[in-house]
Amino acid sequence: MKPSYRKHLNVLLPAFGALGIMLGLVAYSPKIYRVFCSATGYGGTTQRAYADPTVTSKKTVTVVFDTNVAPGLPWRFEPEQRTVTVHLGEQKMVFFTAENLSDESIVSHATYNVTPTTSGPYFNKIQCFCFNEERLDPHQKIEMPVVFFVDPAFAEDPDNRAVDTITLSYTLLRSVNPSQSKNLARFLPNAPPDPVHGKQLFSERCTACHELDANKTGPRLAGVVGRKAGTVPGYHYSPALQNAGLVWSGDNLDRWLADPKKFVPGARMPVRVLDAPSRHDLVAYLQSAGQKSNRAGSNKAAPGGEF
């Protein structure tokens, strides 16, 4: 290769490399920006959580709900209540109503933020329609749950000590990725349970403490439907659950997930699942998993049972 060619290549190859990096950053900058905002709360971006916080506070904050629909999206969208007052650390479920006013199925997605923006790092959503691209059929009307809490650390932040009201704002826009949508009909009272969604919920919200075939912080859950509570070998149950005399039916699991400490006073499980569709999907998944696997798994003792 002639020296002049080598000189040109030495200039062009780094230039093409830099151009490729720049194009990659442009292509992925929306995703990078969303990750950055979610991690830092920048611009009032809320956080995503999978369980209640471990502590609550006597301090309260009022949360105001603001809803908007972008031009060109023929939906009606509004909160069922405009404000709620919650204790810091208290898990709260509220509902929003969406109605498709058109004669065609439409997919939307929600943008959202909280103000003041300093509250973003402390506002945590456990369940929200805003996590997905959502589809409504013609003239369909749905109530959608949002489950959230405000982290007690909010009160310790000097920027928030004088803040007593947080506004959570949503704007619905027509989706640019309709093929990735979920049907909002899953929130209808008569919607059948979805074990596939239950498996996803189990992975997101349960696997920190549970496995199907091994004891962890919580007991193994394979075969839980039909099993007497407090009987998994090698697991240290709380006296309350061990002596409860329960058999885990679908209905009992639903009541347990809704509020374990209310259903079995003295139980120590810290996680609640407030929205009924998610509970039904989780129970359906546990039922299907139990049918597929009845093996004993690992029965090593777990220190300090959560149940």
Side-chain angles (χ1 to χ4, degrees):
M1 184 178 292
K2 294 182 179 181
S4 60
Y5 289 163
R6 292 196 187 97
K7 182 184 291 186
H8 289 310
L9 284 176
N10 288 339
V11 173
L12 290 174
L13 288 177
F16 282 126
L19 180 61
I21 291 172
M22 291 172 66
L23 290 173
L25 287 173
V26 169
Y28 285 97
S29 59
K31 294 182 180 179
I32 294 170
Y33 183 74
R34 284 196 296 270
V35 170
F36 169 77
C37 291
S38 295
T40 63
Y42 179 77
T45 302
T46 62
Q47 310 301 295
R48 186 169 183 178
Y50 298 101
D52 295 16
T54 55
V55 296
T56 57
S57 169
K58 292 182 179 179
K59 182 177 174 59
T60 62
V61 64
T62 297
V63 180
V64 178
F65 304 109
D66 172 57
T67 55
N68 305 276
V69 177
L73 180 64
W75 284 23
R76 181 181 291 117
F77 174 50
E78 56 192 13
E80 291 200 351
Q81 54 190 127
R82 286 290 172 183
T83 66
V84 294
T85 298
V86 296
H87 290 272
L88 300 185
E90 174 191 2
Q91 187 182 151
K92 187 70 174 178
M93 181 167 61
V94 296
F95 288 89
F96 291 75
T97 299
E99 182 179 6
N100 182 355
L101 304 176
S102 76
D103 296 325
E104 62 176 335
S105 295
I106 297 178
V107 178
S108 79
H109 73 274
T111 62
Y112 53 89
N113 74 314
V114 290
T115 53
T117 57
T118 53
S119 63
Y122 307 100
F123 198 101
N124 294 266
K125 293 178 186 171
I126 296 176
Q127 167 72 19
C128 185
F129 56 88
C130 59
F131 297 155
N132 308 302
E133 305 289 314
E134 303 285 9
R135 184 176 79 254
L136 266 181
D137 291 331
H139 303 286
Q140 193 172 49
K141 185 177 181 180
I142 296 291
E143 291 182 349
M144 307 176 295
V146 173
V147 181
F148 71 92
F149 66 88
V150 182
D151 195 303
F154 171 82
E156 306 304 321
D157 187 330
D159 291 332
N160 292 313
R161 285 179 185 165
V163 176
D164 59 7
T165 301
I166 297 173
T167 299
L168 172 61
S169 296
Y170 288 103
T171 299
L172 289 185
L173 306 97
R174 191 181 288 264
S175 175
V176 295
N177 295 305
S179 63
Q180 305 297 318
S181 68
K182 294 189 175 184
N183 195 330
L184 280 168
R186 69 187 185 278
F187 293 124
L188 289 171
N190 60 350
D194 181 359
V196 175
H197 183 234
K199 182 177 182 179
Q200 177 187 341
L201 290 172
F202 184 84
S203 175
E204 293 174 348
R205 302 180 63 173
C206 303
T207 52
C209 295
H210 290 282
E211 289 184 15
L212 290 179
D213 298 316
N215 292 333
K216 295 176 67 175
T217 306
R220 64 179 175 86
L221 293 181
V224 65
V225 179
R227 187 168 72 207
K228 185 178 179 181
T231 59
V232 170
Y235 184 77
H236 300 301
Y237 287 91
S238 67
L241 197 60
Q242 197 167 19
N243 299 320
L246 285 172
V247 173
W248 289 124
S249 64
D251 181 64
N252 282 339
L253 282 169
D254 181 73
R255 294 172 65 190
W256 169 260
L257 289 169
D259 195 334
K261 296 177 182 179
K262 181 179 180 181
F263 185 46
V264 180
R268 294 191 292 262
M269 179 165 140
V271 176
R272 295 181 297 156
V273 181
L274 294 186
D275 61 296
S278 290
R279 294 198 305 271
H280 300 164
D281 292 350
L282 278 167
V283 172
Y285 168 65
L286 291 173
Q287 287 175 323
S288 66
Q291 293 167 359
K292 292 177 182 178
S293 174
N294 290 314
R295 61 185 182 275
S298 170
N299 289 321
K300 295 181 181 179
E306 285 292 340
F307 296 87

